[in-house]
Amino acid sequence: MDQNEEFISAAQSPTIERFEVTHTAPSNIALVKYWGKHAAQLPANASISFTLSAAHTTSKVVFEKSTTPKVAVVLEGVHTPAFEPKIEQFLDRIRLYCPFLKGYSLQIDTANTFPHSSGIASSASGMAALAMAVVSLEHTLGGIREADKTRKASFLARLGSGSAARSIEGPIVSWGEHAELPHSSDLYATKFAQSHEVFNDYHDCILIVHKGSKKVSSTLGHSLMNNHPYKDARFEQATRHMSKLVHALKKGNLESFIAVVESEALSLHAMMMTSSPYFVLMEPQTLMVIKAIWAFREETAIPVCFTLDAGANVHLLYPNQHREPVHQFIEGVLKKYCEDQFYINDRCGTGAN
Ligand code: PMV
């Protein structure tokens, strides 16, 4: 049987007139990066992330029965048609698995806790919140059991934005088949439940070095991996990094954790610097922050490290027990490299609800 078949809903038609629901879903930050995909949003390699908490999206979704179904998106109180094609595309992709959607118009009222100009992508949290809403409707229609909701939400979120699959649960989540993760799948993410206590309540300070939207969209970035000269080496490296990180997470080995996480961030950027066309997504301040983090770690032996997304902002990761000296370091040293001195104190969270 095709593995996707189990995700086709038992609810075939829209049997209730109107359904309204609100869900909140967090952003996440990858420790081993997903960069490269094939077919219907299937990852070229497995990835693993910290689910965040402060940076999240809340969406109220009203499903209304209609013979001419439409989508309307209201972002922070303002009708924003620019977002609607992305949602339409998402609904097209998931309709096979949620046939009941065919009869509904959707009104989505959405808001992020982070400023949308801040350079933090809202696609993971936004798609995860919307997937949760669709699954809530499916459950109300009797199409899915309570016990299967989380997996289905991750499966649907993946079809919206790959990394969104990792925003349903927390605090540590993997997505993509990997030999050392027995229940892992390319179709949905699963919670990594064996981490050492040092990773309970890990912090992520998001240093906003550059506000504004991403220079390279994820869609373009992933597609540049298709003919990338280093693609095979990169996918093998990510697979090796997953093994190393899984061990580090289990044992609480921070030295090994830091080595993998920083290498992953730099590899992601190296892929963009060596693709055709090529891109440099770091800003001068990105490097200044990285060097300051290394100097602080060297001087204090406090196990801080950095990671990067596909942009200039830096995520500073550190264990809860070191929060006081690290806060002083952020205020005293790192803040000045941030645009308008803006940063977000975030930490690992438990996922969508
Ligand atoms: O989910 P997408 O298609 O926006 O891709 C996300 C890619 C990275 O954020 C750069 C890495 C990751 O694994 O989250």
Side-chain angles (χ1 to χ4, degrees):
M1 181 179 107
D2 174 0
Q3 282 178 305
N4 289 287
E5 272 178 37
E6 70 170 284
F7 292 99
I8 298 177
S9 180
Q12 291 292 314
S13 48
T15 49
I16 54 175
E17 277 302 316
R18 189 180 186 278
F19 180 72
E20 179 182 320
V21 72
T22 299
H23 284 284
T24 292
S27 185
N28 69 74
I29 181 68
L31 304 169
V32 171
K33 310 291 181 183
Y34 147 63
W35 200 240
K37 63 177 174 181
H38 58 94
Q41 304 265 94
L42 299 173
N45 59 263
S47 58
I48 192 162
S49 51
F50 280 152
T51 302
L52 299 181
S53 147
H56 63 251
T57 300
T58 299
S59 296
K60 181 181 97 177
V61 186
V62 179
F63 299 86
E64 208 137 28
K65 230 168 130 170
S66 168
T67 47
T68 50
K70 284 193 275 295
V71 171
V73 178
V74 176
L75 175 65
E76 270 128 39
V78 181
H79 180 213
T80 312
F83 280 22
E84 289 163 8
K86 183 125 207 235
I87 307 294
E88 300 271 12
Q89 184 193 42
F90 171 63
L91 295 173
D92 286 344
R93 285 189 191 156
I94 69 169
R95 223 161 252 132
L96 169 64
Y97 307 103
C98 304
F100 54 87
L101 280 176
K102 278 188 196 113
Y104 285 112
S105 277
L106 271 72
Q107 155 101 21
I108 305 165
D109 272 273
T110 186
N112 302 318
T113 50
F114 44 94
H116 55 95
S117 64
S118 67
I120 304 180
S122 58
S123 59
S125 52
M127 285 298 172
L130 184 54
M132 291 287 290
V134 171
V135 173
S136 285
L137 170 62
E138 180 177 0
H139 186 244
T140 306
L141 293 171
I144 189 166
R145 292 181 310 164
E146 184 67 37
D148 297 331
K149 280 166 66 182
T150 301
R151 209 154 69 138
K152 176 87 181 251
S154 176
F155 174 89
L156 295 180
R158 180 199 107 234
L159 291 166
S161 168
S163 60
R166 301 188 311 242
S167 273
I168 303 296
E169 291 186 280
I172 305 179
V173 173
S174 79
W175 167 46
E177 271 177 47
H178 191 275
E180 303 204 28
L181 295 168
H183 303 291
S184 57
S185 168
D186 283 354
L187 301 182
Y188 50 85
T190 38
K191 190 165 149 172
F192 180 75
Q194 305 166 63
S195 61
H196 185 275
E197 62 182 16
V198 72
F199 295 106
N200 295 348
D201 208 10
Y202 227 75
H203 290 246
D204 175 7
C205 176
I206 313 171
L207 299 151
I208 309 295
V209 159
H210 181 67
K211 295 184 181 178
S213 53
K214 292 201 245 172
K215 275 194 234 155
V216 178
S217 71
S218 296
T219 310
L220 173 62
H222 288 292
S223 74
L224 290 175
M225 289 308 288
N226 294 338
N227 296 312
H228 199 289
Y230 306 137
K231 70 172 182 181
D232 294 334
R234 164 59 198 153
F235 301 148
E236 279 162 28
Q237 178 199 43
T239 303
R240 272 196 318 276
H241 277 167
M242 280 294 287
S243 302
K244 221 172 145 190
L245 194 69
V246 162
H247 286 280
L249 289 169
K250 284 184 185 166
K251 298 269 176 265
N253 183 339
L254 290 178
E255 205 179 312
S256 172
F257 173 84
I258 290 171
V260 173
V261 168
E262 292 191 343
S263 172
E264 274 294 308
L266 296 176
S267 289
L268 171 69
H269 281 251
M271 288 303 106
M272 287 182 269
M273 289 183 191
T274 50
S275 60
S276 172
Y278 45 81
F279 299 95
V280 176
L281 299 186
M282 293 190 203
E283 293 293 332
Q285 292 83 345
T286 311
L287 279 177
M288 288 177 194
V289 169
I290 290 173
K291 296 218 162 181
I293 291 170
W294 284 345
F296 178 78
R297 189 163 78 217
E298 180 82 33
E299 275 160 30
T300 62
I302 293 175
V304 291
C305 70
F306 74 87
T307 188
L308 306 167
D309 220 330
N313 300 329
V314 183
H315 291 247
L316 175 69
L317 306 177
Y318 57 96
N320 182 44
Q321 71 193 96
H322 298 293
R323 66 189 178 280
E324 272 156 37
V326 177
H327 281 171
Q328 283 168 21
F329 169 53
I330 295 164
E331 277 291 311
V333 179
L334 297 181
K335 189 173 145 175
K336 63 173 174 287
Y337 299 119
C338 299
E339 192 170 342
D340 299 331
Q341 311 219 351
F342 182 62
Y343 64 86
I344 298 170
N345 275 322
D346 211 335
R347 61 212 296 174
C348 286
T350 51
N353 54 60

